[in-house]
Amino acid sequence: MKFKPSIKPYSGAAGGWGSLEATTRYVLDSKKTLSNLRNLLRVNKGRGFDCPGCAWGDDNHSTFSFCENGAKAVSWEATRKAVEPEFFHQHSVTTLRQQSDYFLEYQGRLTQPMRYNSVVDRYQPITWNEAFSLIASHINGLADPNQLELYTSGRASNESSYLYQLFGRMLGTNNFPDCSNMCHEASGVGLKQSIGVGKGTIHLEDFEKADAIFVFGQNPGTNHPRMLHSLRHAADRGAKIVSFNTLRERGLERFADPQNPIDMLTSKSGQISCAYFQPNLGGDMAAVRGMVKALLENHRLNIASDKPGLFDDAFIAEHCAGLDEYLAAVDATRWEHIVRQSGLSEIQLRQAAAIYQHAGRVICTWAMGITQHKHSVATVREITNLQLLFGQLGKPGAGLCPVRGHSNVQGNRTMGIDEKPPAKFLDNLAKHFNFTPPRVPGHNTVEALEAMLRGEVKVLLALGGNLAAAAPDTERTARALRCCDLTVHISTKLNRSHLITGKEALILPTLGRTELDMQASGSQFITVEDSFSMVHASEGVGKPISDEQRSETAIVAGIAHAVLGDEHLDWLELADDYHLIRDHIEATIPGFTHFNQRCDIPGGFYLGNAAAELRFSTPNGKANFSHAALPEFVIPHMNGQQAPFTLQTLRSHDQYNTTIYGLDDRYRGVYGQREVLFIHPDDMSALGLNEGELVEIETLWNDGVIRKVSGFKLVSYAIPRGNLAAYYPETNPLVPLSSFGDETHTPTSKSIPVVIRRCEQTDSQRIA
């Protein structure tokens, strides 16, 4: 596979012919063109399968309910390419470790259980029964169940996640590190503190009714492209879209709908944002505080002039607490601090405030540009403060909308994948299954890795995901995984984590979302939950590439049966019929009454949201304003000095989380390469560097560890001075494991203090 690197500015709108061409290319490259075309017609449709990509909701109106990146995800999964045992015979693990992440996943689907043989440094075939016996031997030999970590990817279904957490708790541990710990944890924590529910409060249809939509820290054109349809339709009918994003992103500027003949046959494309602000990395809390400060001035001016105030006093009086403390914090925040930290001028923030002030119904939506900083919980709560002031909650066209990443990351948490489970949930499990679940909090992802490094963890089970590539501090993460006695990965494709083994290691091949899942009782469907708390049935149709592949649910049940036997539960019976699992979910989790019957509802069913109904499950029964001060600095000073640059890691357009579909980032004008560093041209000039030069990037941190990557090509980009951006996982080595969000342990992947310098290495010496 050869790629020709180039940097070519992209002039087109997001979507359009570029999206159509890329979709076609990936479908053809799958070598299953006709079946994948049929698959795409069933994506996000009734009796079809839920897209294995992002968690954006389904509009249930479009002929085609997939986007370009959804088509990549489907084609990437439903491929003829296969990683057979012969592949592992030809390639040692050491050799494979030198290959790129793209190469590894491009090889195709895993087809047979494999066991690592350290003597020959290769994976070798093993039977399912042998694999389950090996896992049981290790787990049953643990001195303490907390020596086991049960990691979960956001793609795991509700059914497999529920069995997974039940297995762990019957064993005696709450160690459930998951991908949510590394992305949207701040959304859940902040929203629970403010409104009592850690989920968004709106329906997808609310985008059709909003007068203004404020978009913070997200790039929907790459990360959840179906959102562009909602934003485009809102803008076309006159809603104001206001974007706060450090980089200029094409998807927030212009969008040509590939499903609209007028857009495709003419040069027509729709403007998305009416105002686009580029705050410093981590400056969004300051930006929102500035908006509130301006709105508070106008509110007081109105009252002084005997006019109605701006705030929704009736809403605040009935539903909220902590207003006086919050307004005192706003008064105490100086404009100089706001401007310095946000990177935006007072005029810009007053402009944004004016748009908000004149909108009757407002949605605030955000993603990981908000949640991967030290002060992310405070930022989420600041956005919530703004909405509470104006009563923008519990009415059509208004509310709070954190946009999740993987397609069932929200459902995983609903099913109990939580290292700090609610007491009521544990009570329900105890009563229904007649056992005593553990009450001591378990490990999140960072805590799990730290425990591995201390030698306190012996076994890692990973239900999907690619922990070695997704986690921060790549070298320390690898060292942590190698400290385990056994690492087990339930996966569809080969990835980096399979090559960073414990003393023993297993790869267990699983079915994908697109594939037929036949069990003893017949064809099975699974369910997932999107960002809008809608639960959808998902049923694959494609014939599995190998008879040896098993569903995630069957694999989890097989492990549980081997480890625990049938004392409390007939695990294999549940694997034979997923309806039985849903009956248990219904009996133990609120909102799932008549679960099996409601799976037939076209478009899925709504779980409900108490805060959206203005019922707040907080200790005082109110929606609570936060009065947190702005942090003095977004990132700590090292030796009393501020780092010259702040780096954020991000995805390319040919990427979803750690899955690399290709080496292009079309909208940012990058082709055939990934080791690039986006920088303001004036910063490049001030350093005496030129476009295309290679640099090394080094983290400034306080633990004496050298964290450095080399050979990154400088690319001029529309980004504020002092801010940098580069792709992950290539820059994950720069994120210290000890740098994480307050109250969340989420790695601060969007605010890394770094220096850059000219790289003396040649192209041939660049990092693999």
Side-chain angles (χ1 to χ4, degrees):
M1 293 168 288
K2 293 183 179 180
F3 298 91
K4 185 177 180 181
S6 65
I7 305 294
K8 298 182 294 185
Y10 187 74
S11 60
W17 286 107
S19 179
L20 188 61
E21 186 275 332
T23 298
T24 303
R25 175 160 40 88
Y26 278 94
V27 170
L28 292 173
D29 192 48
S30 72
K31 309 301 182 186
K32 292 177 69 175
T33 303
L34 291 179
S35 61
N36 269 329
L37 288 174
R38 287 193 294 269
N39 280 343
L40 291 175
L41 292 174
R42 295 177 63 94
V43 175
N44 301 321
K45 295 292 188 181
R47 307 313 297 178
F49 57 87
D50 202 79
C51 179
C54 77
W56 189 250
D58 304 334
D59 64 18
N60 300 306
H61 303 305
S62 303
T63 302
F64 304 107
S65 294
F66 62 88
C67 64
E68 174 189 338
N69 278 5
K72 292 175 185 175
V74 169
S75 301
W76 198 250
E77 178 178 282
T79 176
R80 264 201 204 122
K81 300 187 183 83
V83 179
E84 303 283 4
E86 179 60 25
F87 174 86
F88 290 107
H89 179 71
Q90 293 174 358
H91 302 282
S92 70
V93 167
T94 300
T95 301
L96 288 172
R97 205 177 294 134
Q98 309 309 311
Q99 297 289 347
S100 69
D101 295 278
Y102 172 76
F103 171 89
L104 295 176
E105 297 210 39
Y106 188 77
Q107 302 312 304
R109 294 291 300 277
L110 296 162
T111 61
Q112 187 167 334
M114 304 297 293
R115 178 181 184 178
Y116 180 59
N117 183 334
S118 60
V119 175
V120 296
D121 191 30
R122 280 167 170 77
Y123 276 98
Q124 296 174 333
I126 186 174
T127 69
W128 280 104
N129 286 340
E130 290 169 338
F132 291 151
S133 294
L134 179 63
I135 295 169
S137 173
H138 276 272
I139 293 178
N140 288 328
L142 297 176
D144 184 322
N146 289 311
Q147 292 178 326
L148 168 68
E149 299 288 351
L150 295 149
Y151 181 75
T152 320
S153 158
R155 279 181 60 172
S157 68
N158 287 332
E159 290 74 13
S160 60
S161 296
Y162 185 81
L163 287 193
Y164 201 56
Q165 64 82 27
L166 186 59
F167 162 62
R169 293 191 167 107
M170 284 188 171
L171 195 65
T173 185
N174 282 315
N175 285 351
F176 290 102
D178 74 324
C179 60
S180 185
N181 297 150
M182 294 189 286
C183 56
H184 260 288
E185 198 69 45
S187 296
V189 172
L191 289 175
K192 281 182 181 176
Q193 292 175 357
S194 290
I195 62 174
V197 179
K199 301 181 182 182
T201 65
I202 70 168
H203 298 273
L204 181 59
E205 294 76 18
D206 287 318
F207 280 84
E208 300 170 7
K209 302 166 186 173
D211 300 310
I213 302 167
F214 280 70
V215 181
F216 294 96
Q218 63 187 118
N219 175 23
T222 287
N223 298 332
H224 24 265
R226 283 185 295 151
M227 185 180 182
L228 292 182
H229 293 269
S230 298
L231 294 177
R232 167 72 184 274
H233 294 159
D236 285 350
R237 63 172 177 76
K240 303 294 186 183
I241 313 295
V242 181
S243 294
F244 287 80
N245 200 72
T246 304
L247 284 78
R248 297 294 293 195
E249 300 286 17
R250 186 54 46 85
L252 290 169
E253 296 175 317
R254 293 181 288 125
F255 174 60
D257 188 348
Q259 298 183 37
N260 186 326
I262 295 176
D263 283 14
M264 297 299 288
L265 296 175
T266 69
S267 59
K268 175 179 169 58
S269 64
Q271 177 178 314
I272 299 296
S273 301
C274 73
Y276 199 127
F277 303 105
Q278 293 181 260
N280 287 329
L281 290 167
D284 298 270
M285 181 181 177
V288 177
R289 179 66 57 91
M291 289 175 59
V292 172
K293 195 169 182 70
L295 291 164
L296 178 58
E297 288 178 18
N298 295 343
H299 172 76
R300 289 169 172 165
L301 285 172
N302 275 14
I303 293 174
S305 304
D306 293 324
K307 296 178 182 177
L310 300 183
F311 301 158
D312 191 332
D313 294 330
F315 177 91
I316 294 170
E318 182 177 357
H319 299 294
C320 300
L323 175 66
D324 292 343
E325 294 87 346
Y326 175 56
L327 295 185
V330 174
D331 285 331
T333 309
R334 297 173 293 105
W335 272 111
E336 293 84 355
H337 190 179
I338 290 169
V339 169
R340 172 178 57 81
Q341 192 164 108
S342 70
L344 302 173
S345 69
E346 183 177 337
I347 291 174
Q348 288 176 304
L349 294 174
R350 289 185 182 278
Q351 178 191 352
I355 296 172
Y356 190 101
Q357 177 179 332
H358 293 99
R361 299 171 187 270
V362 180
I363 291 172
C364 285
T365 178
W366 66 91
M368 290 195 296
I370 296 298
T371 62
Q372 291 185 319
H373 302 278
K374 189 175 189 299
H375 62 299
S376 288
V377 169
T379 303
V380 169
R381 297 200 67 185
E382 188 74 13
I383 294 170
T384 306
N385 288 343
L386 173 62
Q387 292 289 75
L388 294 178
L389 284 173
F390 288 80
Q392 297 288 359
L393 204 66
K395 62 184 181 182
L400 297 158
C401 179
V403 180
R404 312 286 178 172
H406 246 333
S407 60
N408 198 40
V409 67
Q410 185 161 301
N412 291 173
R413 188 56 56 90
T414 301
M415 292 296 108
I417 300 297
D418 190 345
E419 76 278 4
K420 297 176 182 176
K424 179 61 176 174
F425 174 71
L426 296 180
D427 292 342
N428 291 345
L429 292 182
K431 181 179 179 181
H432 182 70
F433 292 106
N434 190 30
F435 80 108
T436 303
R439 302 280 173 165
V440 177
H443 294 149
N444 57 43
T445 300
V446 167
E447 291 169 335
L449 293 169
E450 290 173 336
M452 290 178 199
L453 286 168
R454 293 192 300 267
E456 297 170 3
V457 172
K458 303 301 181 184
V459 179
L460 167 69
L461 295 185
L463 180 58
N466 183 2
L467 182 58
D473 221 341
T474 306
E475 185 177 331
R476 295 197 73 211
T477 291
R479 202 177 339 137
L481 295 176
R482 290 187 176 111
C483 288
C484 295
D485 289 339
L486 175 68
T487 52
V488 181
H489 296 279
I490 301 169
S491 306
T492 58
K493 287 195 164 188
L494 187 64
N495 66 46
R496 181 69 50 190
S497 295
H498 305 144
L499 311 178
I500 313 295
T501 70
K503 296 178 182 65
E504 294 195 87
L506 291 170
I507 303 173
L508 305 180
T510 186
L511 298 177
R513 191 78 59 80
T514 62
E515 288 156 344
L516 188 66
D517 181 358
M518 287 296 297
Q519 302 297 335
S521 66
S523 177
Q524 305 295 310
F525 66 86
I526 51 92
T527 58
V528 298
E529 179 186 344
D530 66 26
S531 286
F532 302 98
S533 299
M534 294 294 295
V535 176
H536 310 260
S538 176
E539 186 171 5
V541 294
K543 186 174 188 249
I545 198 170
S546 167
D547 292 337
E548 286 290 310
Q549 293 168 324
R550 295 191 181 184
S551 73
E552 289 180 335
T553 307
I555 295 171
V556 171
I559 293 172
H561 172 75
V563 174
L564 295 175
D566 297 335
E567 180 182 354
H568 290 287
L569 205 56
D570 187 337
W571 300 95
L572 299 185
E573 179 185 47
L574 298 180
D576 287 342
D577 186 352
Y578 300 174
H579 289 83
L580 302 177
I581 303 172
R582 289 186 284 273
D583 287 339
H584 289 303
I585 293 171
E586 177 182 341
T588 53
I589 302 179
F592 286 89
T593 304
H594 304 304
F595 189 5
N596 276 304
Q597 295 90 319
R598 292 163 78 194
C599 288
D600 290 329
I601 297 175
F605 65 90
Y606 180 52
L607 279 181
N609 184 299
E613 299 171 1
L614 304 184
R615 294 183 289 108
F616 302 104
S617 302
T618 54
N620 61 1
K622 298 284 188 179
N624 292 296
F625 285 95
S626 164
H627 59 273
L630 292 186
E632 185 177 2
F633 304 106
V634 170
I635 52 178
H637 284 193
M638 298 297 149
N639 300 319
Q641 295 185 332
Q642 182 179 0
F645 292 100
T646 304
L647 170 73
Q648 71 162 324
T649 70
L650 42 65
R651 298 169 178 160
S652 76
H653 192 62
D654 274 356
Q655 175 179 1
Y656 197 79
N657 291 345
T658 58
T659 301
I660 313 298
Y661 300 124
L663 302 187
D664 294 347
D665 192 1
R666 187 170 73 248
Y667 297 151
R668 298 187 185 112
V670 176
Y671 298 87
Q673 58 197 310
R674 290 185 53 81
E675 291 172 349
V676 299
L677 181 65
F678 299 105
I679 184 172
H680 191 285
D682 291 346
D683 280 336
M684 188 161 47
S685 177
L687 292 169
L689 298 170
N690 299 307
E691 180 94 14
E693 276 200 82
L694 300 183
V695 297
E696 65 178 22
I697 314 167
E698 183 173 357
T699 304
L700 297 180
W701 201 240
N702 54 13
D703 59 2
V705 176
I706 296 175
R707 295 178 178 87
K708 185 190 301 185
V709 295
S710 301
F712 280 67
K713 182 185 294 185
L714 291 177
V715 175
S716 295
Y717 203 79
I719 185 173
R721 292 200 65 179
N723 297 263
L724 305 169
Y727 305 131
Y728 71 82
E730 288 81 358
T731 47
N732 281 359
L734 299 173
V735 186
L737 195 61
S738 57
S739 179
F740 47 74
D742 297 334
E743 303 180 78
T744 66
H745 271 79
T746 298
T748 56
S749 299
K750 295 292 188 288
S751 52
I752 312 164
V754 299
V755 294
I756 60 174
R757 58 183 73 92
R758 180 178 283 107
C759 180
E760 301 303 328
Q761 294 176 320
T762 65
D763 274 317
S764 62
Q765 295 172 306
R766 298 172 71 184
I767 300 173

